[in-house]
């Protein structure tokens, strides 16, 4: 079973998770959060939080994102990486994924995949949350995509936040 969630309803998702847990449902997976304009991932099993986004988004890139949102457009394959983000990625000295203006830590994405895979393999969760599936997963097969494939055999209901 698969439930798709609108990324603009993130507050409702968090409220639903808290309510489901209060009702005795076992929730596993990862939840995305933004603190001080930096994306982080939280394990719903352990509560551990890791910083996913390594860079601050430039004002120029932020305005491009805003324009695309207004036009209901997405980054096309050739435009997935901004020049600013590509330059920033070079300074981190570790594997990163660049999507639009964002530089993500590949080790945190791997950790999140492992959290999701553990939930799928344990088969003890009522719901497994994957927050979020976006261009990195859909257009490149990266990010949390490997974890989504592992969920195919799980009996849990998958709750996926999908960004177009």
């Amino acid at each position: 079973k698969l439930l798709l969630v609108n990324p603009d309803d993130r507050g409702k998702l968090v409220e639903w998770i808290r309510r489901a847990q209060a009702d005795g449902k076992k929730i596993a997976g990862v939840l995305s959060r933004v603190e001080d304009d930096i994306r982080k991932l939280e394990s719903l099993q352990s509560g551990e939080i890791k910083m996913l986004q390594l860079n601050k988004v430039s004002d120029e890139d932020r305005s491009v994102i805003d324009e695309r949102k207004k036009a209901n457009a997405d980054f096309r394959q050739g435009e997935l990486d901004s020049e600013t983000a590509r330059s920033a990625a070079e300074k981190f000295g570790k594997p990163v994924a660049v999507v639009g203006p964002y530089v993500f830590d590949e080790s945190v994405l791997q950790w999140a995949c492992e959290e999701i895979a553990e939930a799928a393999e344990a088969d003890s969760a009522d719901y497994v949350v994957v927050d979020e599936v976006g261009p990195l997963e859909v257009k490149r097969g990266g990010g949390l995509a490997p974890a989504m494939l592992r969920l195919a055999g799980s009996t849990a209901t998958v709750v996926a936040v999908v960004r177009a």
Side-chain angles (χ1 to χ4, degrees):
K1 294 176 264 179
L2 174 66
L3 299 173
L4 301 177
V5 179
N6 181 339
D8 295 331
D9 291 337
R10 190 170 312 282
K12 293 176 187 169
L13 174 62
V14 171
E15 179 58 30
W16 174 83
I17 289 170
R18 303 298 177 236
R19 200 171 306 137
Q21 288 173 325
D23 289 344
K25 298 293 183 191
K26 182 150 169 104
I27 313 291
V30 293
L31 185 65
S32 175
R33 56 195 301 161
V34 178
E35 296 174 1
D36 299 322
D37 289 328
I38 296 292
R39 282 160 176 69
K40 299 178 181 185
L41 293 178
E42 175 183 359
S43 166
L44 292 171
Q45 292 96 290
S46 68
E48 184 176 3
I49 298 170
K50 294 196 175 196
M51 188 171 78
L52 173 63
Q53 182 181 334
L54 297 172
N55 68 319
K56 288 279 191 184
V57 175
S58 71
D59 290 338
E60 179 183 338
D61 282 340
R62 194 172 304 284
S63 67
V64 170
I65 293 169
D66 292 341
E67 286 173 26
R68 289 190 179 276
K69 282 182 183 176
K70 287 177 191 172
N72 203 21
D74 190 12
F75 287 95
R76 290 184 292 276
Q77 182 65 35
E79 300 173 327
L80 280 172
D81 304 341
S82 78
E83 190 61 41
T84 308
R86 275 196 304 270
S87 297
E90 293 172 6
K91 73 179 181 182
F92 291 108
K94 60 180 170 179
V96 298
V98 179
V99 181
Y102 304 102
V103 179
F104 296 136
D105 186 332
E106 284 281 4
S107 69
V108 174
L109 289 167
Q110 180 61 38
W111 166 80
C113 283
E114 290 167 7
E115 292 289 303
I116 293 166
E118 283 176 20
E121 290 165 7
D123 226 16
S124 59
D126 296 303
Y127 298 95
V128 178
V129 175
V130 180
D131 182 12
E132 73 186 48
V133 177
L136 179 58
E137 289 76 15
V138 175
K139 294 181 179 180
R140 295 185 184 172
L144 302 178
M148 291 295 291
L149 294 173
R150 304 237 344 235
L151 285 171
S154 175
T155 59
T157 298
V158 178
V159 179
V161 177
V162 180
R163 181 168 304 280

